[in-house]
């Protein structure tokens, strides 16, 4: 064979190989709905000019009379990351066509595999044929066709094609996959970058369930394309059956939008719009929604849902990176009434409490800055919107934390600054069982807090860990709020106030390590003492951010156990406890903490009068606190037990806590949690509160599972939540359906049941009923 012939033959092998690889564009056919067109791409652009072709065959034959060049027997071709094998490859110089024969397999650099009985292509790879074609992509999607044809270099036509993302059955590969799409013709257009499935039939478990004249979807080179998305369905007590049809629209490479119309059998049509824009340094999302309710009287009378007819909302969310350290953004929502978004279960707006905010944050190596303004929405059925009117408007709250880069006297020096400025248009006041609670006063208040802290850790030769601490704090208040009418405490009636707090502390820890042949145990006694003067103006100032806290084992060793800055712990206090960790070679693990806090000298801040009775029934209002602890056991058999508790300091009566037991194996998992909260009249809980929450899931027949759960209010003997569902999940399909019934024993108008379902076909999309998380 002449050298020139070899060179020409190599070029034609390249043409053959590249022409065949064009069909790998089918690797993710029908994978995305509503995804903008990508720029034209050709295989030639992807293959570097310096790429070398490697050919291996048992025999290379050149027939001069027939102008036919053949590679015969175990043909292997490697070129620019593409690999092809065949039993025989022929090039006909007269017709300008090349053919690969016998068990043709082509692997592209992205992992897609193409199988065919034979492949016939022109030398410029613009036109060609493939028989008995099968394509397997890197993400395990598959296309099978009786034959394929490439036309004009830009279009591929497959005849009698089948598409699926399911793996073949290991026991019976000939069995139909869980789902598949059959089409009379599958057409890929390289100009529009679309795949069109004509005369399409969707099959489930081998049975046809849907027929469509055609489906047109983007091919795998397209990132976004305008079009309809999969519909969503919902079913609820007050809205009826709902069908949502979303349309995705590509505006530009940096902008797109989704418009969704939902028809409810009980309430009419809800229209939602979402506009998204990406900038070089951030993103912005604008959402709107609205409905003219057809049957407001479906809702309980006297509620905002029943009294509102035309309802809607507007929301905006954005975040911008000013530079690598600074970020600016906002997340705000305005609606026509206080319960619209929650009632219609708009995505991201279904919570009872909704926080609107605008913020500026900065993060350095040793400092942190955060400034935010807040406005709180309370979504409930109260037509007077009382709860929201009582919420504070925060403008702004500022936090700054700094750690000195160099040690001071061998220890770490840090600083914290907080500025809070809030106002209210209505008093947040109520009386429960003779206890007055002023959670917020009408007017405006500002507070500036600054604190310096120094601490250093020493480890003695015997293993004792000693940590001394010094701290100094100052607060300045500007007060312009109404006095709390009827308050029996000594409220400060002034326009300004200042206070300070100085702390000297010492912490001692002595970890003791004990080992045996099959276990390791760490026992660590801990003792702390903090010497401070009494809290200045204790209970005489507004309390906005330190209204509620839980005293338990996790807060036992906190220097200041109040939850915010408006109260500061004063007096000399000692915290004493012990923690334990045990690990066994058999797989068992144990852990626990137990301890108590003591007011040694000075005024107990948790026993002083306060506008919200913050220290009442906390377990810290006495000189000797309640006992607190937690513990847990993990076993190698999937069983675990965890408990947290607070016991009365006199008689060890159970005051507060929870107990959780769980079990999990390959087919079954369950969890039961019991929660107890003793009566707290000062907080409006006249009786004990006991609740049991359970959740379980049982798997059966490989892919199926039943799941459910309840929340049982033991004191009122009411099931406040019930869930029951069925799910199926394999490598290509997820199906879940669940019934949920939620009941509020204090407000029957808030009770509602819903049915939620989700059917996901991998690479095709979701069909949903409802919007809530089902498991």
């Amino acid at each position: 064979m002449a050298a020139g012939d070899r060179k020409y033959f190599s070029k034609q092998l390249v043409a053959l190989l590249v022409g065949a690889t064009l069909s790998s564009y089918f690797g993710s056919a029908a994978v995305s709905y509503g995804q903008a067109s990508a720029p034209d791409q050709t295989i030639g652009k992807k293959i570097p000019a310096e790429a070398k072709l490697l050919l291996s065959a048992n025999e290379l034959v050149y027939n001069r009379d027939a102008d036919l060049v053949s590679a015969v027997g175990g043909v292997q071709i490697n070129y620019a990351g593409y690999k092809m094998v065949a039993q025989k490859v022929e090039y006909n110089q007269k017709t300008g066509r090349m053919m690969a024969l016998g068990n043709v397999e082509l692997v592209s650099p992205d992992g897609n595999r193409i199988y065919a009985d034979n492949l016939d292509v022109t030398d410029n790879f613009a036109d060609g044929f493939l028989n008995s074609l099968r394509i397997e992509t890197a993400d395990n999607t598959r296309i099978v066709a009786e034959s394929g044809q490439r036309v004009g270099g830009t279009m591929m036509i497959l005849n009698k094609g089948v598409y699926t993302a399911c793996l073949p059955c290991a026991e019976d590969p000939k069995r139909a996959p869980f789902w598949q799409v059959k089409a009379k013709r599958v057409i890929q257009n390289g100009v529009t970058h679309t795949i069109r499935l004509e005369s399409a039939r969707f099959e489930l478990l081998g049975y046809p369930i849907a027929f469509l004249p055609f489906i047109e979807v983007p091919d795998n080179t397209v990132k976004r394309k305008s079009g309809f998305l999969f519909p969503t369905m919902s079913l609820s007590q007050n809205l009826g059956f709902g069908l949502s049809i979303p349309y995705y629209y590509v505006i530009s490479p940096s902008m797109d939008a989704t418009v969704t119309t939902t028809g409810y059998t009980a309430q009419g049509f809800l229209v939602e719009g979402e506009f998204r824009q990406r900038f070089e340094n951030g993103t912005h999302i604008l959402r709107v929604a609205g409905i003219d309710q057809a049957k407001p009287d479906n809702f309980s009378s006297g509620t905002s849902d029943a009294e509102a007819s035309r309802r809607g909302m507007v929301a905006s969310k954005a975040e911008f990176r000013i530079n690598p350290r600074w970020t600016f953004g906002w997340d705000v929502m305005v609606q026509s009434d206080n319960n619209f978004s929650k009632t219609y279960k708009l995505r991201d707006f279904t919570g009872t409490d909704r926080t609107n905010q605008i913020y500026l944050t900065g993060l350095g190596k040793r400092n942190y800055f955060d400034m935010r303004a807040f406005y709180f929405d309370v979504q409930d059925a109260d037509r007077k919107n009382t709860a929201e009117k009582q919420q504070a408007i925060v403008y702004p709250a500022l936090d700054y934390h700094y750690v000195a880069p160099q040690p001071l006297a061998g220890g770490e020096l840090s600083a914290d600054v907080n500025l809070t400025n809030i106002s209210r248009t209505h008093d947040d006041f109520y009386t429960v069982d003779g206890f007055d609670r002023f959670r917020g006063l009408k007017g405006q208040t500002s507070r500036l807090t600054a604190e310096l802290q120094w601490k250093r850790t020493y480890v003695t030769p015997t293993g004792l860990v000693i940590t001394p601490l010094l701290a100094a704090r100052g607060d300045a208040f500007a007060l312009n709020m109404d006095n709390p009418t009827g308050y029996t405490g000594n409220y400060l009636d002034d326009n300004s106030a200042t206070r300070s707090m100085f702390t000297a502390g010492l912490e001692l820890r002595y970890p003791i390590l004990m080992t045996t042949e099959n276990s390791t145990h760490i026992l660590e006694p801990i003792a702390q003492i903090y010497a401070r003067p009494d809290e200045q103006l204790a209970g005489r100032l507004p309390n906005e951010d330190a209204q509620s806290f839980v005293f338990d084992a996790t807060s036992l060793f906190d220097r200041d156990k109040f939850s915010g800055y408006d109260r500061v712990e004063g007096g000399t206090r000692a915290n004493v406890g012990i923690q334990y960790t045990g690990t066994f070679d058999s797989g068992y693990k144990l852990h626990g903490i137990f301890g108590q806090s003591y007011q040694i000298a000075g005024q107990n801040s948790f026993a002083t009068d306060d506008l919200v009775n913050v220290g009442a029934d906390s377990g810290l209002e006495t000189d000797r606190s309640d006992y607190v602890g937690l513990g847990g056991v993990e076993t190698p058999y999937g069983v675990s037990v965890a408990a947290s508790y607070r016991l009365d300091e006199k008689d060890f009566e159970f005051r507060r806590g929870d107990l959780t037991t769980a079990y999990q194996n390959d087919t079954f998992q369950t969890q039961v949690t019991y929660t107890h909260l003793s009566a707290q009249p000062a907080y409006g809980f006249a009786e004990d509160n006991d609740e049991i929450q359970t959740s379980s899931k049982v798997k059966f027949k490989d892919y199926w599972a039943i799941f459910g759960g309840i929340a049982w209010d033991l004191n009122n003997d009411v099931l406040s939540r019930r869930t029951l569902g069925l799910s199926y999940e394999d490598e290509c399909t997820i199906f879940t359906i669940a019934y949920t019934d939620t009941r509020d024993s204090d407000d029957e108008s808030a009770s509602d049941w819903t049915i939620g379902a989700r059917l996901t076909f991998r690479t095709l999309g979701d069909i949903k009923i409802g919007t809530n998380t089902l498991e």
Side-chain angles (χ1 to χ4, degrees), residues 371-557:
M371 182 172 64
R372 296 172 186 263
F374 297 99
Y375 180 83
F376 302 98
D377 280 316
V378 179
Q379 299 197 97
D380 58 23
D382 178 14
R383 61 184 179 85
K384 295 182 179 180
N385 206 9
T386 304
E388 183 171 318
K389 292 177 181 178
Q390 293 175 338
Q391 299 302 307
I393 302 173
V394 183
Y395 48 93
L398 181 152
D399 284 287
Y400 177 74
H401 177 73
Y402 172 79
V403 178
Q406 300 298 328
L408 177 64
E412 179 186 84
L413 180 67
S414 62
D416 289 278
V417 177
N418 175 266
L419 171 65
T420 300
N421 185 41
I422 67 172
S423 70
R424 269 191 173 86
T425 59
H426 294 70
D427 287 330
D428 187 0
F429 161 79
Y430 67 94
T431 301
V432 179
D433 293 337
F435 293 92
D436 295 333
R437 300 199 75 207
F438 299 86
R439 293 187 298 190
L441 302 176
K442 180 180 179 181
Q444 182 176 352
T445 183
S446 302
R447 175 186 41 76
L448 176 63
T449 299
E451 182 177 57
L452 284 174
Q453 176 182 279
W454 174 90
K455 66 178 180 180
R456 181 177 180 180
T457 299
Y458 301 88
V459 180
T460 67
T462 60
L464 178 65
V465 182
I466 305 174
T467 304
L469 176 146
L470 297 173
R473 168 177 163 172
D475 301 273
F477 294 83
L479 306 172
N480 186 21
M481 310 184 82
D482 292 352
N483 290 339
T485 304
Y487 180 55
T488 58
N490 185 19
Y491 180 74
L492 178 65
D493 184 11
D494 205 341
N495 293 328
S496 62
T498 60
R499 70 182 180 191
S500 61
M501 179 61 66
F502 300 94
T503 304
L506 183 66
E507 179 184 86
L508 303 177
R509 293 174 177 258
Y510 192 66
I512 303 171
L513 176 64
M514 299 172 288
T515 60
T516 66
E517 292 183 356
N518 57 9
S519 64
T520 301
H521 308 266
I522 300 176
L523 196 65
E524 185 177 28
I526 305 172
Q528 298 174 327
I529 185 168
Y530 296 109
R532 299 169 286 216
D534 292 343
E535 179 187 4
Q536 298 176 3
L537 302 174
R540 301 183 62 192
L541 297 168
N543 182 359
E544 293 283 351
D545 68 354
Q547 294 190 3
S548 176
F549 69 93
V550 175
F551 173 53
D552 57 19
T554 62
S555 60
L556 171 63
F557 297 108

Side-chain angles (χ1 to χ4, degrees), residues 166-205:
C166 300
L167 296 176
C169 176
E171 299 177 357
D172 184 7
K174 295 183 179 180
R175 181 190 301 174
F178 189 85
W179 65 265
Q180 60 186 1
V181 180
K182 291 184 177 180
K184 187 175 181 180
R185 291 208 311 171
V186 180
I187 303 173
Q188 185 220 14
N189 191 319
V191 177
T192 62
H193 295 275
T194 58
I195 298 174
R196 182 183 177 94
L197 293 90
E198 296 182 345
S199 300
R201 181 176 70 190
F202 185 87
E203 294 186 357
L204 194 64
L205 295 173

Side-chain angles (χ1 to χ4, degrees), residues 26 29-30 33 133 142-148 156-164 179-188 195-203 208 210-217 764:
F26 277 93
Y33 284 78
L133 174 67
R142 287 164 168 75
I143 299 176
V144 179
E146 197 172 85
S147 61
M156 179 74 78
I157 301 175
L158 300 180
N159 301 309
K160 295 184 179 180
V162 180
Y163 172 82
T164 184
W179 65 265
Q180 60 186 1
V181 180
K182 291 184 177 180
K184 187 175 181 180
R185 291 208 311 171
V186 180
I187 303 173
Q188 185 220 14
I195 298 174
R196 182 183 177 94
L197 293 90
E198 296 182 345
S199 300
R201 181 176 70 190
F202 185 87
E203 294 186 357
F211 295 87
L212 293 171
F214 71 91
I215 303 174
E216 189 169 280
V217 297
L764 289 182

